[in-house]
Amino acid sequence: MPAKDKTLDDLFIDTLRDIYYAERKILKALPKMQRAAQSEKLASAFEDHREETETHIERLQKVFDLVGKAPRGKTCDAIEGIIAEGEDIMQDFKDSPALDAGLISSAQAVEHYEITRYGTLRRWATELKMKEAADLLSKTLDEESATDKKLTKIAESTANVAAH
Ligand SMILES: [Fe+2]
Ligand SMILES: [Fe+2]
């Protein structure tokens, strides 16, 4: 389709593919972060979010279904970069007391990326009168925000304090 004929529907599907790719990438990264975490609390937060991420992928598959498209990812350079930076921290701060603080900072970069994507997609779904899709996206958005807050708590109560 010529670019000039594309509409918000096309943009919605493009962005859906972007976050679908990102979520699957995150699903693979979380167990590595869980294994790397020094504190029990942080490891279990990563484990909980891995389970939620499986649900996020299922919800996206439902949204694809609602728009009559097969679920398909589109390479998301942003998440590739965020995850690569997280891997650098895991290597560069291995065995350091600052490792958990670094892991949290990487995980929060991921959550913030997801929050911006889901925030946009939910808004566009509403604009496009897709209430069911908007509700599904909204549920995930709430879980990403809750995870972000939980990570801030772990950082403030233990990880940052233990890091120096
Ligand atoms: Fe997610
Ligand atoms: Fe997330």
Side-chain angles (χ1 to χ4, degrees):
M1 185 195 298
K4 71 170 181 54
D5 295 336
K6 289 183 182 172
T7 64
L8 189 62
D9 299 81
D10 303 294
L11 198 52
F12 181 82
I13 288 159
D14 256 29
T15 308
L16 205 57
R17 288 178 175 151
D18 172 284
I19 192 67
Y20 189 62
Y21 178 96
E23 287 281 20
R24 285 187 304 168
K25 197 83 196 173
I26 294 162
L27 186 66
K28 278 191 219 146
L30 280 166
K32 287 184 211 160
M33 296 175 79
Q34 186 190 338
R35 282 194 298 274
Q38 290 167 335
S39 87
E40 226 11 79
K41 216 178 191 179
L42 183 57
S44 96
F46 287 147
E47 163 65 20
D48 291 349
H49 200 51
R50 192 196 55 77
E51 280 171 29
E52 282 179 345
T53 299
E54 282 175 1
T55 308
H56 299 173
I57 291 172
E58 284 163 19
R59 285 194 193 119
L60 288 174
Q61 288 165 345
K62 278 185 204 149
V63 176
F64 274 112
D65 201 48
L66 288 167
V67 294
K69 298 274 178 193
R72 185 153 64 78
K74 178 182 176 232
T75 307
C76 166
D77 294 327
I79 205 72
E80 295 278 3
I82 291 169
I83 287 174
E85 285 188 0
E87 282 168 357
D88 285 349
I89 286 182
M90 271 188 243
Q91 282 209 331
D92 298 348
F93 286 84
K94 195 173 185 285
D95 301 323
S96 148
L99 177 64
D100 278 7
L103 289 173
I104 291 173
S105 75
S106 309
Q108 286 192 293
V110 170
E111 294 318 306
H112 282 242
Y113 182 71
E114 292 185 290
I115 289 166
T116 181
R117 283 303 186 226
Y118 282 107
T120 296
L121 281 166
R122 179 181 65 174
R123 186 65 225 140
W124 285 346
T126 303
E127 183 66 35
L128 295 166
K129 313 259 181 286
M130 298 191 292
K131 188 181 176 331
E132 204 179 335
D135 289 347
L136 288 164
L137 295 162
S138 205
K139 274 188 198 148
T140 299
L141 178 59
D142 289 347
E143 288 171 7
E144 308 295 14
S145 299
T147 299
D148 181 48
K149 289 197 181 80
K150 189 170 164 185
L151 290 168
T152 296
K153 255 199 190 130
I154 299 173
E156 287 175 354
S157 65
T158 54
N160 290 355
V161 186
H164 64 99

